[in-house]
Amino acid sequence: MYVLASLSLLGACLFYVGMLLLNYPEPNTAGDRVMFYGFASVVMSVGFFACLTVLAIALSSLTRLDWVSKSLSLRTALALTATVAISVSLFCAAMLRTETWETTPVWLGVLARSHAMVWIPLPALIAATLLLVAGQEPNTWTIVARFLAMGSLAMGLVFSTGLLTSWLEHSVAAQQQLLEEAQQKFEESQQEDLKRIQEFSASDSIQVLLPLAATWQDKAIRSQAIEKLKSRVDWEEELYRLLDQDHAYRDIYLFLDGNHVTDRRRFAESLERSLHKVAEEISREVQTTNNLQSWSFEWCRIDNALRAIDFQFANLGVDFVPAIQKIQAALNDHRPERFRNVKLEISTKVQIWLKKNRSR
């Protein structure tokens, strides 16, 4: 263990000297040299950390750190904390000598330019050397080593804690800004939806209101959309006509999922017919598409149609199972070979629904 400690100390010193040579008098980061400097700095810092970690473990095993704590686990944990703090300080202090990070406070840059990469790790290396050569018995050199080690740890903790704290503050501020932007966009979207509802006229198709009446909409938006829609006397008849059209069914599925209609049997029959058309549309798309992804065919709103069936069209004497089976076959059968392994999310939802409803 003594040999391991000696070798790791030598390695830590060599990596430390290499880091100093990279940064003094000034690092050359012009042109392509910036890539070499960055890569070399990472290598030197990682090597320093690895050697310092092995050194801390070896010194703990040699009982040279018994003055820290009598508990081996606590002693080792504190030693590893010190290696992390000192190694992080070495690397970041080197970077901050010539750079300015917006996530770090000014005082960290001042410390870095005051040669923190020299006076933070160096006392730890001197302390490790003294602890290794001075033996186990307390003497003047071991006392000096303890003070140097505690000083290096304290300075490393101050520097690395400052980095961590400033990063956390910046992250919290960034998240807060994202939340505020999202809230602002949400409010703007709400205002646009409310304006669309208010500007809805008797000559407009109710199809523009259907997505605004979906269950996932904000309660205020949804209630106003439903009120405006039902203010038209023939809204249900128009809804029924739209369901028979080729491209309006998606919005109808959104509306029927969570909004009752009066003539449920009539709508159930029309919904069943539209699902057959959807199956045919999917079948054509699957065979001709150049890009089949897991999320493909979510735009068909089949999951909304399935929920609408369970919500208000079950047990009316209309058998939806053949139409849903046809959709399942369209999703999975006759695919081009290159898409055989694509697992469609909507296919999973259809399969689950069929498993629950085959007896209907």
Side-chain angles (χ1 to χ4, degrees):
M1 191 60 69
Y2 184 86
V3 174
L4 179 62
S6 300
L7 291 176
S8 58
L9 175 60
L10 176 61
C13 291
L14 290 176
F15 281 116
Y16 174 63
V17 170
M19 194 68 169
L20 294 180
L21 291 175
L22 280 174
N23 288 275
Y24 286 95
E26 289 293 335
N28 188 345
T29 57
D32 294 338
R33 291 182 177 274
V34 65
M35 295 183 64
F36 169 77
Y37 170 73
F39 177 75
S41 296
V42 171
V43 170
M44 295 299 173
S45 299
V46 171
F48 177 79
F49 169 71
C51 291
L52 202 62
T53 301
V54 174
L55 176 60
I57 295 173
L59 288 175
S60 180
S61 300
L62 290 170
T63 68
R64 303 299 169 85
L65 300 179
D66 283 4
W67 55 274
V68 176
S69 173
K70 294 299 182 182
S71 170
L72 176 61
S73 57
L74 179 58
R75 189 167 65 241
T76 304
L78 290 173
L80 292 178
T81 300
T83 63
V84 171
I86 294 169
S87 300
V88 169
S89 300
L90 171 65
F91 177 76
C92 294
M95 297 298 103
L96 288 171
R97 285 186 69 240
T98 56
E99 298 179 11
T100 301
W101 298 347
E102 62 178 15
T103 58
T104 56
V106 176
W107 63 269
L108 280 177
V110 173
L111 287 181
R113 289 187 291 275
S114 300
H115 313 291
M117 66 173 298
V118 176
W119 50 259
I120 291 179
L122 185 59
L125 294 176
I126 296 174
T129 303
L130 293 176
L131 289 172
L132 192 60
V133 301
Q136 300 181 12
E137 296 300 325
N139 54 55
T140 303
W141 294 116
T142 57
I143 294 174
V144 172
R146 293 176 187 181
F147 278 107
L148 288 174
M150 289 188 292
S152 182
L153 172 60
M155 292 182 292
L157 285 175
V158 168
F159 198 92
S160 56
T161 302
L163 288 169
L164 178 61
T165 302
S166 60
W167 176 80
L168 288 175
E169 290 175 349
H170 179 79
S171 298
V172 170
Q175 288 298 319
Q176 183 64 32
Q177 183 178 356
L178 288 175
L179 289 174
E180 291 175 357
E181 291 175 355
Q183 181 64 26
Q184 182 179 355
K185 289 181 180 179
F186 173 75
E187 292 174 355
E188 291 174 354
S189 176
Q190 273 196 318
Q191 292 302 317
E192 291 176 1
D193 290 339
L194 288 172
K195 183 179 179 182
R196 194 183 315 166
I197 293 171
Q198 292 169 359
E199 293 177 348
F200 180 79
S201 65
S203 60
D204 295 330
S205 170
I206 64 170
Q207 187 174 355
V208 300
L209 294 176
L210 298 179
L212 301 177
T215 55
W216 49 266
Q217 285 284 5
D218 179 76
K219 186 177 180 180
I221 299 293
R222 185 187 179 201
S223 61
Q224 292 194 39
I226 293 174
E227 181 181 355
K228 179 70 74 170
L229 184 148
K230 292 187 176 180
S231 66
R232 183 172 294 183
V233 178
D234 63 340
W235 72 271
E236 194 162 312
E237 189 63 31
E238 186 175 349
L239 190 68
Y240 182 79
R241 289 196 303 269
L242 286 171
L243 187 54
D244 277 335
Q245 295 181 10
D246 290 340
H247 301 294
Y249 67 86
R250 303 163 195 167
D251 294 329
I252 310 298
Y253 291 172
L254 274 177
F255 180 81
L256 294 177
D257 175 17
N259 296 292
H260 285 289
V261 291
T262 304
D263 194 347
R264 292 191 297 149
R265 171 66 188 227
R266 184 186 182 200
F267 271 93
E269 292 173 347
S270 182
L271 176 60
E272 193 269 343
R273 290 194 301 269
S274 75
L275 290 171
H276 282 284
K277 294 180 182 179
V278 173
E280 294 170 1
E281 183 178 353
I282 291 174
S283 181
R284 291 192 298 271
E285 182 72 16
V286 166
Q287 296 176 42
T288 59
T289 185
N290 291 320
N291 183 27
L292 192 65
Q293 303 290 337
S294 62
W295 41 261
S296 295
F297 303 112
E298 292 290 327
W299 50 266
C300 291
R301 308 291 187 187
I302 297 170
D303 54 336
N304 294 101
L306 297 178
R307 287 197 296 267
I309 293 171
D310 295 335
F311 172 62
Q312 60 180 326
F313 299 123
N315 304 318
L316 295 177
V318 178
D319 186 6
F320 290 96
V321 171
I324 304 303
Q325 287 177 328
K326 188 175 181 180
I327 289 175
Q328 181 75 338
L331 290 168
N332 296 307
D333 298 346
H334 310 297
R335 286 193 198 179
E337 190 63 33
R338 63 184 182 279
F339 297 134
R340 282 293 176 188
N341 295 325
V342 177
K343 187 175 181 180
L344 297 172
E345 294 176 5
I346 189 61
S347 179
T348 303
K349 297 175 184 177
V350 169
Q351 186 177 359
I352 293 172
W353 187 93
L354 285 172
K355 187 176 181 180
K356 293 179 180 178
N357 295 273
R358 288 185 191 276
S359 59
R360 289 183 180 176

